[in-house]
mmCIF file of all heavy atoms in Angstrom:
data_model
loop_
_atom_site.group_PDB
_atom_site.id
_atom_site.type_symbol
_atom_site.label_atom_id
_atom_site.label_comp_id
_atom_site.label_asym_id
_atom_site.label_seq_id
_atom_site.Cartn_x
_atom_site.Cartn_y
_atom_site.Cartn_z
ATOM 1 N N ALA A 170 -7.118 29.467 -156.421
ATOM 2 C CA ALA A 170 -8.269 30.292 -156.070
ATOM 3 C C ALA A 170 -9.214 29.482 -155.197
ATOM 4 O O ALA A 170 -9.730 28.444 -155.624
ATOM 5 C CB ALA A 170 -8.981 30.772 -157.335
ATOM 6 N N ALA A 171 -9.436 29.965 -153.967
ATOM 7 C CA ALA A 171 -10.299 29.256 -153.028
ATOM 8 C C ALA A 171 -11.645 29.948 -152.957
ATOM 9 O O ALA A 171 -11.738 31.067 -152.421
ATOM 10 C CB ALA A 171 -9.640 29.192 -151.643
ATOM 11 N N ALA A 172 -12.651 29.345 -153.527
ATOM 12 C CA ALA A 172 -14.043 29.793 -153.512
ATOM 13 C C ALA A 172 -14.330 30.781 -154.651
ATOM 14 O O ALA A 172 -13.429 31.250 -155.366
ATOM 15 C CB ALA A 172 -14.438 30.364 -152.153
ATOM 16 N N ASP A 173 -15.613 31.112 -154.791
ATOM 17 C CA ASP A 173 -16.109 31.851 -155.952
ATOM 18 C C ASP A 173 -15.461 33.229 -156.094
ATOM 19 O O ASP A 173 -15.071 33.639 -157.199
ATOM 20 C CB ASP A 173 -17.632 32.031 -155.844
ATOM 21 C CG ASP A 173 -18.359 30.701 -155.773
ATOM 22 O OD1 ASP A 173 -17.684 29.652 -155.764
ATOM 23 O OD2 ASP A 173 -19.594 30.715 -155.713
ATOM 24 N N GLY A 174 -15.365 33.975 -154.997
ATOM 25 C CA GLY A 174 -14.882 35.348 -155.079
ATOM 26 C C GLY A 174 -13.473 35.439 -155.618
ATOM 27 O O GLY A 174 -13.156 36.324 -156.434
ATOM 28 N N ALA A 175 -12.598 34.535 -155.179
ATOM 29 C CA ALA A 175 -11.211 34.565 -155.640
ATOM 30 C C ALA A 175 -11.126 34.227 -157.125
ATOM 31 O O ALA A 175 -10.388 34.880 -157.885
ATOM 32 C CB ALA A 175 -10.383 33.587 -154.821
ATOM 33 N N LEU A 176 -11.892 33.229 -157.562
ATOM 34 C CA LEU A 176 -11.854 32.872 -158.984
ATOM 35 C C LEU A 176 -12.442 33.997 -159.830
ATOM 36 O O LEU A 176 -11.935 34.299 -160.932
ATOM 37 C CB LEU A 176 -12.620 31.566 -159.213
ATOM 38 C CG LEU A 176 -12.605 31.044 -160.654
ATOM 39 C CD1 LEU A 176 -11.169 30.793 -161.135
ATOM 40 C CD2 LEU A 176 -13.436 29.761 -160.768
ATOM 41 N N ASP A 177 -13.482 34.641 -159.336
ATOM 42 C CA ASP A 177 -14.086 35.743 -160.083
ATOM 43 C C ASP A 177 -13.084 36.879 -160.260
ATOM 44 O O ASP A 177 -12.983 37.483 -161.342
ATOM 45 C CB ASP A 177 -15.331 36.229 -159.339
ATOM 46 C CG ASP A 177 -16.091 37.283 -160.131
ATOM 47 O OD1 ASP A 177 -16.584 36.950 -161.223
ATOM 48 O OD2 ASP A 177 -16.160 38.425 -159.647
ATOM 49 N N LEU A 178 -12.299 37.198 -159.235
ATOM 50 C CA LEU A 178 -11.287 38.240 -159.340
ATOM 51 C C LEU A 178 -10.257 37.888 -160.402
ATOM 52 O O LEU A 178 -9.871 38.735 -161.232
ATOM 53 C CB LEU A 178 -10.604 38.432 -157.975
ATOM 54 C CG LEU A 178 -9.439 39.421 -157.960
ATOM 55 C CD1 LEU A 178 -9.936 40.841 -158.133
ATOM 56 C CD2 LEU A 178 -8.639 39.291 -156.675
ATOM 57 N N LEU A 179 -9.793 36.635 -160.406
ATOM 58 C CA LEU A 179 -8.768 36.240 -161.372
ATOM 59 C C LEU A 179 -9.320 36.204 -162.790
ATOM 60 O O LEU A 179 -8.600 36.498 -163.752
ATOM 61 C CB LEU A 179 -8.207 34.874 -160.979
ATOM 62 C CG LEU A 179 -7.394 34.845 -159.677
ATOM 63 C CD1 LEU A 179 -6.970 33.427 -159.342
ATOM 64 C CD2 LEU A 179 -6.181 35.758 -159.770
ATOM 65 N N LEU A 180 -10.581 35.838 -162.930
ATOM 66 C CA LEU A 180 -11.165 35.825 -164.271
ATOM 67 C C LEU A 180 -11.198 37.226 -164.877
ATOM 68 O O LEU A 180 -10.995 37.403 -166.080
ATOM 69 C CB LEU A 180 -12.582 35.250 -164.219
ATOM 70 C CG LEU A 180 -12.697 33.730 -164.043
ATOM 71 C CD1 LEU A 180 -14.155 33.334 -163.852
ATOM 72 C CD2 LEU A 180 -12.101 32.995 -165.239
ATOM 73 N N HIS A 181 -11.444 38.236 -164.053
ATOM 74 C CA HIS A 181 -11.575 39.600 -164.553
ATOM 75 C C HIS A 181 -10.259 40.372 -164.548
ATOM 76 O O HIS A 181 -10.116 41.352 -165.307
ATOM 77 C CB HIS A 181 -12.608 40.373 -163.723
ATOM 78 C CG HIS A 181 -14.011 39.904 -163.949
ATOM 79 N ND1 HIS A 181 -14.591 38.876 -163.233
ATOM 80 C CD2 HIS A 181 -14.957 40.308 -164.848
ATOM 81 C CE1 HIS A 181 -15.826 38.681 -163.642
ATOM 82 N NE2 HIS A 181 -16.084 39.534 -164.634
ATOM 83 N N HIS A 182 -9.290 39.995 -163.758
ATOM 84 C CA HIS A 182 -8.075 40.808 -163.619
ATOM 85 C C HIS A 182 -6.809 39.969 -163.737
ATOM 86 O O HIS A 182 -5.747 40.378 -163.260
ATOM 87 C CB HIS A 182 -8.084 41.543 -162.274
ATOM 88 C CG HIS A 182 -9.265 42.433 -162.093
ATOM 89 N ND1 HIS A 182 -9.353 43.688 -162.657
ATOM 90 C CD2 HIS A 182 -10.452 42.238 -161.418
ATOM 91 C CE1 HIS A 182 -10.517 44.238 -162.335
ATOM 92 N NE2 HIS A 182 -11.205 43.368 -161.579
ATOM 93 N N ARG A 183 -6.919 38.837 -164.364
ATOM 94 C CA ARG A 183 -5.733 37.984 -164.498
ATOM 95 C C ARG A 183 -4.629 38.675 -165.303
ATOM 96 O O ARG A 183 -3.445 38.582 -164.954
ATOM 97 C CB ARG A 183 -6.133 36.668 -165.169
ATOM 98 C CG ARG A 183 -4.978 35.693 -165.323
ATOM 99 C CD ARG A 183 -5.428 34.438 -166.043
ATOM 100 N NE ARG A 183 -4.396 33.409 -166.050
ATOM 101 C CZ ARG A 183 -4.484 32.263 -166.706
ATOM 102 N NH1 ARG A 183 -5.592 31.984 -167.409
ATOM 103 N NH2 ARG A 183 -3.504 31.388 -166.660
ATOM 104 N N ALA A 184 -5.033 39.372 -166.348
ATOM 105 C CA ALA A 184 -4.029 40.021 -167.207
ATOM 106 C C ALA A 184 -3.243 41.075 -166.442
ATOM 107 O O ALA A 184 -2.068 41.312 -166.734
ATOM 108 C CB ALA A 184 -4.718 40.648 -168.420
ATOM 109 N N GLU A 185 -3.859 41.730 -165.458
ATOM 110 C CA GLU A 185 -3.176 42.756 -164.684
ATOM 111 C C GLU A 185 -2.296 42.159 -163.590
ATOM 112 O O GLU A 185 -1.367 42.812 -163.115
ATOM 113 C CB GLU A 185 -4.200 43.684 -164.031
ATOM 114 C CG GLU A 185 -5.149 44.334 -165.021
ATOM 115 C CD GLU A 185 -6.305 45.000 -164.318
ATOM 116 O OE1 GLU A 185 -6.033 45.800 -163.400
ATOM 117 O OE2 GLU A 185 -7.472 44.696 -164.651
ATOM 118 N N LEU A 186 -2.611 40.943 -163.192
ATOM 119 C CA LEU A 186 -1.911 40.342 -162.055
ATOM 120 C C LEU A 186 -0.876 39.312 -162.498
ATOM 121 O O LEU A 186 0.327 39.556 -162.424
ATOM 122 C CB LEU A 186 -2.936 39.701 -161.106
ATOM 123 C CG LEU A 186 -3.856 40.672 -160.360
ATOM 124 C CD1 LEU A 186 -4.942 39.915 -159.621
ATOM 125 C CD2 LEU A 186 -3.045 41.530 -159.398
ATOM 126 N N PHE A 187 -1.330 38.151 -162.926
ATOM 127 C CA PHE A 187 -0.428 37.038 -163.230
ATOM 128 C C PHE A 187 -0.876 36.378 -164.537
ATOM 129 O O PHE A 187 -1.469 35.288 -164.526
ATOM 130 C CB PHE A 187 -0.440 36.015 -162.089
ATOM 131 C CG PHE A 187 -0.328 36.636 -160.716
ATOM 132 C CD1 PHE A 187 -1.434 36.716 -159.875
ATOM 133 C CD2 PHE A 187 0.877 37.165 -160.277
ATOM 134 C CE1 PHE A 187 -1.339 37.289 -158.622
ATOM 135 C CE2 PHE A 187 0.976 37.739 -159.009
ATOM 136 C CZ PHE A 187 -0.134 37.808 -158.179
ATOM 137 N N PRO A 188 -0.613 37.010 -165.655
ATOM 138 C CA PRO A 188 -1.193 36.528 -166.920
ATOM 139 C C PRO A 188 -0.747 35.140 -167.350
ATOM 140 O O PRO A 188 -1.504 34.415 -167.995
ATOM 141 C CB PRO A 188 -0.757 37.605 -167.929
ATOM 142 C CG PRO A 188 0.409 38.275 -167.311
ATOM 143 C CD PRO A 188 0.192 38.241 -165.837
ATOM 144 N N GLN A 189 0.482 34.741 -166.997
ATOM 145 C CA GLN A 189 1.004 33.466 -167.484
ATOM 146 C C GLN A 189 0.976 32.357 -166.418
ATOM 147 O O GLN A 189 1.413 31.241 -166.680
ATOM 148 C CB GLN A 189 2.461 33.654 -167.962
ATOM 149 C CG GLN A 189 2.615 34.707 -169.025
ATOM 150 C CD GLN A 189 1.784 34.402 -170.258
ATOM 151 O OE1 GLN A 189 1.651 33.238 -170.651
ATOM 152 N NE2 GLN A 189 1.209 35.439 -170.874
ATOM 153 N N VAL A 190 0.500 32.654 -165.245
ATOM 154 C CA VAL A 190 0.536 31.675 -164.142
ATOM 155 C C VAL A 190 -0.686 30.763 -164.224
ATOM 156 O O VAL A 190 -1.829 31.255 -164.289
ATOM 157 C CB VAL A 190 0.572 32.390 -162.776
ATOM 158 C CG1 VAL A 190 0.570 31.358 -161.650
ATOM 159 C CG2 VAL A 190 1.787 33.305 -162.699
ATOM 160 N N PRO A 191 -0.505 29.430 -164.240
ATOM 161 C CA PRO A 191 -1.665 28.503 -164.258
ATOM 162 C C PRO A 191 -2.474 28.616 -162.966
ATOM 163 O O PRO A 191 -1.933 28.898 -161.891
ATOM 164 C CB PRO A 191 -1.020 27.123 -164.401
ATOM 165 C CG PRO A 191 0.377 27.292 -163.922
ATOM 166 C CD PRO A 191 0.783 28.700 -164.237
ATOM 167 N N ILE A 192 -3.751 28.376 -163.112
ATOM 168 C CA ILE A 192 -4.669 28.567 -161.978
ATOM 169 C C ILE A 192 -5.384 27.253 -161.664
ATOM 170 O O ILE A 192 -5.906 26.578 -162.568
ATOM 171 C CB ILE A 192 -5.696 29.675 -162.285
ATOM 172 C CG1 ILE A 192 -4.962 31.016 -162.448
ATOM 173 C CG2 ILE A 192 -6.739 29.754 -161.176
ATOM 174 C CD1 ILE A 192 -5.882 32.143 -162.898
ATOM 175 N N ILE A 193 -5.377 26.916 -160.371
ATOM 176 C CA ILE A 193 -6.182 25.800 -159.832
ATOM 177 C C ILE A 193 -7.276 26.423 -158.975
ATOM 178 O O ILE A 193 -7.010 27.340 -158.188
ATOM 179 C CB ILE A 193 -5.320 24.844 -158.969
ATOM 180 C CG1 ILE A 193 -4.126 24.284 -159.756
ATOM 181 C CG2 ILE A 193 -6.178 23.721 -158.394
ATOM 182 C CD1 ILE A 193 -4.503 23.382 -160.893
ATOM 183 N N TYR A 194 -8.490 25.953 -159.119
ATOM 184 C CA TYR A 194 -9.553 26.470 -158.258
ATOM 185 C C TYR A 194 -10.103 25.325 -157.387
ATOM 186 O O TYR A 194 -10.069 24.145 -157.741
ATOM 187 C CB TYR A 194 -10.674 27.142 -159.053
ATOM 188 C CG TYR A 194 -11.414 26.231 -160.015
ATOM 189 C CD1 TYR A 194 -12.450 25.395 -159.580
ATOM 190 C CD2 TYR A 194 -11.091 26.231 -161.375
ATOM 191 C CE1 TYR A 194 -13.130 24.565 -160.461
ATOM 192 C CE2 TYR A 194 -11.767 25.411 -162.262
ATOM 193 C CZ TYR A 194 -12.781 24.591 -161.803
ATOM 194 O OH TYR A 194 -13.450 23.779 -162.665
ATOM 195 N N ALA A 195 -10.608 25.708 -156.224
ATOM 196 C CA ALA A 195 -11.191 24.743 -155.272
ATOM 197 C C ALA A 195 -12.276 25.456 -154.479
ATOM 198 O O ALA A 195 -12.197 26.670 -154.238
ATOM 199 C CB ALA A 195 -10.114 24.189 -154.332
ATOM 200 N N GLY A 196 -13.274 24.681 -154.066
ATOM 201 C CA GLY A 196 -14.362 25.263 -153.286
ATOM 202 C C GLY A 196 -15.243 26.185 -154.098
ATOM 203 O O GLY A 196 -15.939 27.041 -153.529
ATOM 204 N N VAL A 197 -15.233 26.064 -155.402
ATOM 205 C CA VAL A 197 -16.048 26.914 -156.279
ATOM 206 C C VAL A 197 -17.342 26.189 -156.610
ATOM 207 O O VAL A 197 -17.321 25.009 -157.015
ATOM 208 C CB VAL A 197 -15.279 27.274 -157.563
ATOM 209 C CG1 VAL A 197 -16.170 28.072 -158.515
ATOM 210 C CG2 VAL A 197 -14.017 28.054 -157.226
ATOM 211 N N LEU A 198 -18.451 26.874 -156.437
ATOM 212 C CA LEU A 198 -19.752 26.254 -156.672
ATOM 213 C C LEU A 198 -19.952 25.938 -158.154
ATOM 214 O O LEU A 198 -19.558 26.723 -159.034
ATOM 215 C CB LEU A 198 -20.868 27.175 -156.184
ATOM 216 C CG LEU A 198 -20.973 27.362 -154.659
ATOM 217 C CD1 LEU A 198 -21.981 28.449 -154.339
ATOM 218 C CD2 LEU A 198 -21.371 26.045 -154.005
ATOM 219 N N ARG A 199 -20.580 24.834 -158.421
ATOM 220 C CA ARG A 199 -20.888 24.449 -159.807
ATOM 221 C C ARG A 199 -21.804 25.494 -160.466
ATOM 222 O O ARG A 199 -21.661 25.812 -161.661
ATOM 223 C CB ARG A 199 -21.552 23.082 -159.818
ATOM 224 C CG ARG A 199 -21.764 22.517 -161.214
ATOM 225 C CD ARG A 199 -22.460 21.164 -161.135
ATOM 226 N NE ARG A 199 -21.664 20.204 -160.377
ATOM 227 C CZ ARG A 199 -20.678 19.482 -160.890
ATOM 228 N NH1 ARG A 199 -20.353 19.628 -162.179
ATOM 229 N NH2 ARG A 199 -20.007 18.626 -160.147
ATOM 230 N N SER A 200 -22.701 26.048 -159.675
ATOM 231 C CA SER A 200 -23.611 27.060 -160.224
ATOM 232 C C SER A 200 -22.845 28.302 -160.673
ATOM 233 O O SER A 200 -23.219 28.951 -161.667
ATOM 234 C CB SER A 200 -24.661 27.443 -159.180
ATOM 235 O OG SER A 200 -24.025 27.936 -158.001
#
């Protein structure tokens, strides 16, 4: 997941998309 928007999508819809796939995030703001 590159940046906040992509990680936010996976946090809310991971179960519908790729429930068992490990996730690496980058470019996500600490805030």
Side-chain angles (χ1 to χ4, degrees):
D173 301 2
L176 183 59
D177 186 63
L178 175 70
L179 292 176
L180 285 174
H181 290 88
H182 302 280
R183 182 182 188 186
E185 303 168 52
L186 292 172
F187 314 106
Q189 303 301 323
V190 178
I192 296 174
I193 303 294
Y194 62 82
V197 176
L198 291 172
R199 187 181 300 276
S200 58

